Amino acid sequence: MPAAAYSGKECVCQFKRGICDQTCVKDMLDTPFYIACLKLKGRPCKVIGGGALGLEKTEGLLACGGDVTVISPEVLPEVEQLAAEGSIGWEQREYAGRSDLDKTFIVIACTDDTDVNIGIYDDAEERAMLVNIVDVPPLCNFILPAIVRTGPLAIAISTAGASPALAKRMKREISELFGEEYARLAVLLNDARGWAKGTLPTYQDRKVFFESIVNGDPDPIELLRAGDERAVVDLIDAARRVHTPA
């Protein structure tokens, strides 16, 4: 299991407080996190640790096209299989220091060694790169929200670390609310972007065009829920005719 920051346990962060008193995370709920979507396709990503959390983080990076290398002397069979099939790289050894982060875009670590975790964080910060030490907020310069992913849509849910259980409940409810029809509408609207950029002269013109579809009558989401994609295509075509400059 990775080292984790919990009140009453031995301190696992760079502040070396002996017994954790949560001082290092007391400002988490007041911290405004800058939410961004990273393009990982083809970018080198490192995961330090090959246990259950290492597998979870590896699969998450792979799902976004990251070029993943796991560094760990031992890994779960699922991680070993990913390496055997060529989906990831696996360096069967301990973390060796700052050179392991050379030419790396993002590193996620989940080891059970506090000193190793602190070393990874310090090495990454020295390079001004993205680093997340799982379950140790003061050793992270970014946090990972719960994600609802459907086709091209991705909805991030964060409680700033206050309650992963609440984030999971919200993820379940949001996935039920925003289903496949929203993803399909996103694809159909994307198909119209080229026409809009080439035909409508201003940002405001394009905004009005797309909002007339998304918020129009009939509701395109209800049409897709009813299985009538043709009607949505007709709706988009009608909007093009209405908004084409004279």
Side-chain angles (χ1 to χ4, degrees):
M1 291 292 292
Y6 296 117
S7 182
K9 284 188 59 177
E10 182 179 353
C11 179
V12 295
C13 76
Q14 70 271 48
F15 298 106
K16 301 281 189 176
R17 300 185 71 86
I19 299 300
C20 177
D21 61 5
Q22 295 284 278
T23 297
C24 58
V25 296
K26 284 182 178 176
D27 68 339
M28 286 288 287
L29 296 182
D30 298 321
T31 300
F33 287 93
Y34 185 77
I35 304 299
C37 296
L38 301 177
K39 184 178 180 181
L40 294 184
K41 186 175 181 180
R43 292 184 182 273
C45 308
K46 297 283 176 65
V47 176
I48 317 299
L53 284 173
L55 172 62
E56 176 187 319
K57 305 310 178 186
T58 296
E59 290 178 334
L61 294 169
L62 281 178
C64 296
D67 181 6
V68 183
T69 298
V70 173
I71 298 176
S72 181
E74 297 180 355
V75 297
L76 291 180
E78 294 91 337
V79 177
E80 189 169 0
Q81 177 59 37
L82 287 171
E85 69 188 28
S87 296
I88 65 170
W90 173 30
E91 298 186 16
Q92 193 174 4
R93 58 176 177 81
E94 300 285 356
Y95 177 74
R98 62 186 62 185
S99 62
D100 279 341
L101 302 185
D102 289 347
K103 298 180 180 180
T104 299
F105 180 69
I106 186 172
V107 59
I108 300 176
C110 37
T111 85
D112 57 4
D113 189 315
T114 294
D115 289 334
V116 170
N117 288 339
I118 293 172
I120 295 168
Y121 174 78
D122 288 342
D123 291 342
E125 280 284 281
E126 185 179 309
R127 287 162 171 71
M129 61 179 286
L130 294 169
V131 56
N132 179 286
I133 309 299
V134 177
D135 280 340
V136 190
L139 295 179
C140 301
N141 57 26
F142 76 97
I143 59 175
L144 292 166
I147 300 292
V148 176
R149 197 181 300 278
T150 307
L153 297 183
I155 303 172
I157 305 130
S158 173
T159 61
S163 177
L166 177 59
K168 287 181 180 178
R169 171 177 172 166
M170 294 173 67
K171 176 180 178 179
R172 183 178 66 252
E173 293 179 358
I174 288 172
S175 64
E176 293 171 354
L177 181 60
F178 298 102
E180 291 287 343
E181 60 276 5
Y182 283 86
R184 186 58 193 155
L185 181 57
V187 171
L188 294 173
L189 292 173
N190 183 67
D191 291 342
R193 287 184 69 198
W195 175 88
K197 286 186 175 182
T199 307
L200 304 178
T202 70
Y203 166 78
Q204 186 62 30
D205 291 332
R206 295 188 290 273
K207 177 182 177 182
V208 170
F209 166 69
F210 283 111
E211 289 188 352
S212 74
I213 299 167
V214 172
N215 302 317
D217 184 20
D219 182 353
I221 291 296
E222 291 303 323
L223 291 172
L224 289 170
R225 283 175 176 160
D228 195 352
E229 183 172 316
R230 181 68 253 174
V232 177
V233 173
D234 292 342
L235 196 66
I236 294 172
D237 288 342
R240 283 176 173 171
R241 291 191 294 270
V242 168
H243 293 274
T244 297

